[in-house]
Amino acid sequence: MFIQIEPESDIPIYAQLASQLIEAIARGKLVSGDALPSVRSLAADLGMNMHTVNKAYHELERKEIIRIVPKSGAIVNPLSKDKIRVDHLERISIEIKPIIIEAIVLGMNPEAINKLISSIILSIKEE
Amino acid sequence: MFIQIEPESDIPIYAQLASQLIEAIARGKLVSGDALPSVRSLAADLGMNMHTVNKAYHELERKEIIRIVPKSGAIVNPLSKDKIRVDHLERISIEIKPIIIEAIVLGMNPEAINKLISSIILSIKEE
DNA sequence: CTTCTGTTATAATAGTATTAGAACAGTTAG
DNA sequence: CTAACTGTTCTAATACTATTATAACAGAAG
């Protein structure tokens, strides 16, 4: 697996894992219908506990990015191309708002913010 | 003070406070050079502990949004209009990246993301 | 049927969040 | 000058989260 965990980060490792799995989906390394590794095998693979991987998976399930089939496994949900549900948009909005405000206070104007986001999107698709 | 804390939120109250102070600066309710209330008085005002307010202030100091003068008080830093320092840009980038990725996975295209951010910026300046 | 799956439960450890109380030393206003 | 106010530092208690460790359970899959 293409996961790199930084144990010394102040970001919990279950959150790092969840984040990198989302990134893998965004990059097309994981596509709709793909099965994720079992919590036990991925935990062994990454040298962490089964429950930590399980927590990351449930984080992704809560965001409806994967689906967990009890006693069976987890698979990547169909990603709605160029559509977004209102509740998802709401969550993204709540998550992103404080950062936008911080950016403004630190001196970024709307164009600069837009430019930053464009470069982030490019960096995802390229790397 | 124009602060509203939600004690039942899963966001720590020191983080809520820090966030709302940044927002107050973004809205111009607090401007460069303004003195923040003392940690004791704001804590009493909001019904929370002095140390919790202190933690929020140090969070803002870490982000270089305010300056804390030991044994004296905290004042709002000069906000660099339409300029942003590289290290600040770097931090904003790291903070915003996982959310952008989540937005993409949930079906937002670059235009939709840009539109969302524009509406957030508008909502800050209007309300 | 046996192995693999997520689920659930208990438990221990470490760290964070929040509150409390107190003392200390520099700042400031009367 | 002095008294009130300031952030700082310390100890300490409580609650919650994060992480790991075992173990047992019951459904899925070969």
Side-chain angles (χ1 to χ4, degrees):
Chain A
M1 264 266 160
F2 26 73
I3 306 288
Q4 284 299 328
I5 300 296
E6 294 183 41
E8 300 308 313
S9 167
D10 56 345
I11 300 168
I13 61 181
Y14 82 89
Q16 290 183 48
L17 175 55
S19 193
Q20 291 193 35
L21 287 173
I22 298 179
E23 193 166 344
I25 296 172
R27 290 206 170 127
K29 295 185 180 178
L30 288 173
V31 301
S32 183
D34 276 1
L36 294 181
S38 79
V39 292
R40 281 182 178 82
S41 67
L42 185 53
D45 198 354
L46 300 177
M48 65 178 66
N49 194 275
M50 170 191 56
H51 296 110
T52 307
V53 176
N54 197 247
K55 193 168 185 175
Y57 280 14
H58 279 274
E59 184 87 0
L60 298 189
E61 192 191 33
R62 186 180 61 81
K63 295 184 171 180
E64 298 188 81
I65 290 172
I66 69 172
R67 190 161 50 91
I68 298 176
V69 186
K71 326 285 171 126
S72 171
I75 62 177
V76 178
N77 262 343
L79 47 103
S80 42
K81 255 219 160 192
D82 280 351
K83 279 183 211 169
I84 183 165
R85 282 183 15 208
V86 219
D87 54 338
H88 290 156
L89 183 63
E90 185 81 12
R91 192 182 65 235
I92 297 287
S93 182
I94 290 173
E95 286 173 349
I96 213 170
K97 188 176 176 181
I99 306 173
I100 298 296
I101 293 175
E102 186 183 343
I104 291 173
V105 168
L106 289 177
M108 293 185 83
N109 54 33
E111 303 94 83
I113 295 174
N114 189 28
K115 205 169 142 191
L116 171 64
I117 286 165
S118 297
S119 78
I120 289 175
I121 293 176
L122 275 181
S123 79
I124 296 164
K125 308 206 168 176
E126 282 178 5
E127 276 174 35
Chain B
M1 263 264 161
F2 26 73
I3 305 289
Q4 284 298 328
I5 300 296
E6 294 185 39
E8 300 309 313
S9 167
D10 55 345
I11 301 168
I13 60 181
Y14 82 89
Q16 290 184 47
L17 176 54
S19 193
Q20 292 193 33
L21 287 173
I22 298 179
E23 193 167 343
I25 295 172
R27 291 209 169 125
K29 294 185 180 181
L30 288 173
V31 300
S32 182
D34 277 359
L36 294 181
S38 78
V39 292
R40 282 181 177 84
S41 67
L42 185 52
D45 198 355
L46 300 177
M48 65 178 64
N49 193 275
M50 169 190 58
H51 297 110
T52 308
V53 176
N54 197 247
K55 193 168 184 174
Y57 280 13
H58 279 273
E59 184 86 2
L60 298 189
E61 191 190 35
R62 187 180 61 83
K63 295 184 170 181
E64 298 188 81
I65 291 172
I66 69 173
R67 191 162 49 90
I68 298 177
V69 186
K71 326 286 169 121
S72 171
I75 60 177
V76 179
N77 261 343
L79 46 103
S80 43
K81 257 220 157 190
D82 281 349
K83 279 183 211 167
I84 184 165
R85 283 185 12 210
V86 219
D87 54 339
H88 291 157
L89 184 63
E90 185 80 13
R91 193 181 65 234
I92 296 286
S93 183
I94 290 172
E95 286 172 349
I96 213 170
K97 187 176 176 182
I99 306 174
I100 298 296
I101 294 175
E102 186 184 345
I104 291 173
V105 168
L106 290 176
M108 293 185 82
N109 53 36
E111 303 95 81
I113 295 175
N114 190 27
K115 206 170 141 191
L116 171 65
I117 285 164
S118 298
S119 78
I120 289 176
I121 294 176
L122 275 180
S123 79
I124 297 165
K125 309 207 166 174
E126 283 180 4
E127 277 174 37

